[in-house]
Amino acid sequence: MKVRIGLFLGAALLLFAACKQEADKPKVIYKEDGTSAAATETVNDKDRSEDIRIADLPVLMGQSDYLIHPIGEVRVYTYSSKTGMSKVNQTSYTVSNYAPFELTGYLENLMFQHKDSLQIRPLTNKKIQIQSVTYLNPLAEKTKKNILVYSVFDADTNRDGKLDSNDIKTLYISNGSGKNFKKLTVDLHELLDWTVIDTQNRLYFRSIEDINKNGAFDKDDNVNYYYIDLLSKDWEVKSYDPFSVNKPIEIEE
């Protein structure tokens, strides 16, 4: 009995160590000279003969005039049979999930098509992975302006040869047509979250900066605060300090 308990504890410790090592894996690996890896550094192109790319059926969000075709890869899942004697492969031909005004998934690109046209154009020619696409419906209802906000992995910051959630997440924006696709977060800053204040027509977001250059984002790093005016032409990113309090003006009687 003691031997079995010892084996069980040993296996549990090994599993815990493996999980901890995976959790502690840095999102950024810096160059040998101590400088940061280029945020534009992307993965090597894969052999397209082994890459089965497909598109989901198009969606039309809100008041937009543009259909969106999500592009991704066929995914094969392997699991053991009920008897445990063999493995079963299950193929998924769905690359995205659609809820009202939001697309999520592991998307390589999006194709945009005007509802009255046969012409289709890509969102970008860069190699990225899109985690989510949000259509700002309240803004469209109020201003008739169609805007999309994206959570994106755009660089292989941990240098493992892949673009995925182990890399730095960034924030992008575009028109409803997919044009003017623009990055909002600073290079090598990890997106924390974002929100829209409809009464101001502003998008606010937070990002964290690896100021101690240890490759991970933790309590010792710096959180930065930004906003943009959604109705402005160039979507200029402006920083702000929520901890800055102006002293009240004293009025002499």
Side-chain angles (χ1 to χ4, degrees):
M1 181 64 69
K2 290 183 178 180
V3 174
R4 289 184 178 180
I5 293 175
L7 290 173
F8 174 77
L9 290 175
L13 289 173
L14 286 173
L15 179 62
F16 173 78
C19 293
K20 187 177 187 302
Q21 184 177 7
E22 182 68 23
D24 293 342
K25 186 176 180 180
K27 285 198 170 186
V28 184
I29 294 181
Y30 296 92
K31 297 178 181 179
E32 293 181 358
D33 60 3
T35 60
S36 60
T40 55
E41 185 174 349
T42 57
V43 299
N44 295 326
D45 288 337
K46 295 185 293 183
D47 183 0
R48 284 299 177 188
S49 63
E50 299 177 359
D51 179 12
I52 306 175
R53 300 170 73 236
I54 60 171
D56 275 350
L57 296 175
V59 298
L60 187 63
M61 293 189 181
Q63 302 178 29
S64 176
D65 291 329
Y66 286 84
L67 281 71
I68 300 177
H69 303 258
I71 305 297
E73 295 182 13
V74 172
R75 293 183 175 270
V76 179
Y77 303 91
T78 303
Y79 59 94
S80 300
S81 63
K82 292 182 179 180
T83 61
M85 300 298 293
S86 61
K87 291 186 177 181
V88 179
N89 290 335
Q90 182 175 349
T91 303
S92 173
Y93 293 95
T94 299
V95 299
S96 65
N97 298 297
Y98 180 62
F101 314 121
E102 186 176 50
L103 271 172
T104 57
Y106 301 98
L107 309 176
E108 290 188 358
N109 211 337
L110 299 174
M111 307 298 287
F112 287 82
Q113 177 186 11
H114 192 278
K115 63 183 182 181
D116 298 326
S117 172
L118 295 177
Q119 188 176 22
I120 299 178
R121 58 173 296 275
L123 172 68
T124 179
N125 293 321
K126 296 180 180 179
K127 191 169 184 62
I128 62 175
Q129 185 182 95
I130 302 170
Q131 185 183 58
S132 67
V133 187
T134 304
Y135 175 80
L136 303 185
N137 188 63
L139 182 77
E141 290 182 339
K142 184 174 67 171
T143 67
K144 307 302 180 184
K145 188 169 185 177
N146 297 305
I147 292 179
L148 298 170
V149 180
Y150 309 77
S151 295
V152 176
F153 304 104
D154 65 354
D156 180 21
T157 54
N158 66 354
R159 299 190 179 188
D160 65 352
K162 298 180 293 184
L163 279 180
D164 54 29
S165 58
N166 293 318
D167 295 308
I168 288 180
K169 182 164 64 174
T170 62
L171 187 67
Y172 279 75
I173 192 171
S174 83
N175 294 329
S177 63
K179 294 182 179 179
N180 299 324
F181 187 54
K182 178 181 179 179
K183 184 174 182 176
L184 299 180
T185 45
V186 178
D187 286 346
L188 296 176
H189 284 208
E190 168 94 336
L191 173 68
L192 292 175
D193 50 15
W194 63 272
T195 189
V196 172
I197 305 299
D198 295 319
T199 56
Q200 291 182 304
N201 299 315
R202 284 183 181 179
L203 182 150
Y204 288 84
F205 64 96
R206 299 185 299 168
S207 65
I208 187 167
E209 179 184 0
D210 182 24
I211 58 175
N212 57 10
K213 297 295 187 292
N214 66 350
F217 296 101
D218 49 42
K219 63 181 180 62
D220 297 321
D221 292 323
N222 190 47
V223 176
N224 301 284
Y225 302 83
Y226 305 95
Y227 72 88
I228 65 169
D229 179 359
L230 291 167
L231 299 185
S232 65
K233 184 177 180 180
D234 56 358
W235 293 320
E236 180 185 357
V237 177
K238 299 180 181 180
S239 62
Y240 73 97
D241 182 3
F243 299 101
S244 176
V245 179
N246 295 325
K247 293 182 180 180
I249 299 175
E250 295 183 1
I251 301 177
E252 296 183 357
E253 295 182 359

